[in-house]
Amino acid sequence: MHHEYGDQNISQGSVIACKDQQDLVQKCLYFGPEEIRAARKHLPPHLTCSTFELITACTWKCRTIALAMDPDEAVRLSLVVNARGKRNNVVLPLGFYGNGIGFPGVVSTVELLCQNPLGYAVDLVKEAKYKMNQDYIKSVADLLALRGWPPLTLARNNFILSDNTRTGVGEVDFGWGKPIIAGTCQVREFD
C-alpha cells in the first residue's frame, strides 16, 4: 500500500483552498536541547527514538490538532527518505548518479493521532522511516509502471516532511561566505 500516492480506500481530504491559505502561518521552529528533553518526557521509558523521529511525531500531531479536522478523517505522514546508504540496502542501477529517494507513508485517523500519547505518533514515524528498502523501491517502480507517475497526495491531510540536516547546505559558499539560514523564502515588502 502506498499511502503517499493516495489510496482509493481512504478519503483524499480536501486540498486547502486559496481562501484558507490566508489562515495558515509559516514559521520556523527551533528545537534545542531543552525542547527535546521536554518532548522526550512524554514518551514511555521503553521507547527509544531519534531526534528526527521525535520532532516529526510532535509536529505531525500538533499540526493535525491545529487543523481541527474531523476525528474520523484519515491523516497521512509521508517522509522524504534517501534510498542510498547501508541501512536501506537499495541497489540502484550501475551508472545511475541521480537522487534515489522515496516517500514512504503511514496513515492514522485524526482521533487516534490526537488522542493517543506521543509514543503512538513516534511508532508511526518509525514505521514510515523503516519502510524504505529494496522491496519498497521495487513496489514503487511497479506502481509507477501500472498507474503512471501518480502525484503525491497534496491534500491537507498529508504531512510531507524531510530531514535536511545532512544535505551539506551549511557548507555551500558562492563567494559570500557560508549560509546563515536556509529555509523557505519569505516575501517582504519594503517601503
Side-chain angles (χ1 to χ4, degrees), residues 3 12 21 34 44 54-55 59 86 96 104 139 143 152:
H3 303 295
Q12 296 301 309
Q21 289 182 359
E34 288 182 37
L54 179 64
I55 291 172
T59 54
K86 295 176 186 174
F96 179 80
S139 179
L143 174 76
L152 286 175

Side-chain angles (χ1 to χ4, degrees), residues 115-136:
Q115 299 301 321
N116 274 308
L118 183 59
Y120 173 79
V122 168
D123 284 338
L124 288 173
V125 172
K126 291 172 100 168
E127 180 184 331
K129 189 174 158 185
Y130 287 101
K131 281 185 178 182
M132 178 58 82
N133 58 33
Q134 190 77 25
D135 290 337
Y136 172 82

Side-chain angles (χ1 to χ4, degrees), residues 3-76:
H3 303 295
E4 60 276 20
Y5 295 109
D7 180 350
Q8 291 149 348
N9 299 324
I10 296 174
S11 163
Q12 296 301 309
S14 58
V15 175
I16 298 173
C18 291
K19 64 180 175 67
D20 294 336
Q21 289 182 359
Q22 295 171 13
D23 295 335
L24 297 179
V25 176
Q26 186 178 48
K27 294 284 183 187
C28 291
L29 303 173
Y30 297 95
F31 291 85
E34 288 182 37
E35 290 83 7
I36 298 300
R37 276 193 299 276
R40 285 196 189 279
K41 289 180 182 178
H42 292 276
L43 297 176
H46 70 277
L47 182 60
T48 59
C49 66
S50 70
T51 301
F52 170 78
E53 293 161 349
L54 179 64
I55 291 172
T56 301
C58 285
T59 54
W60 183 32
K61 184 172 180 169
C62 290
R63 175 188 183 271
T64 303
I65 291 168
L67 289 174
M69 297 185 218
D70 181 324
D72 295 326
E73 187 173 347
V75 286
R76 296 174 176 82

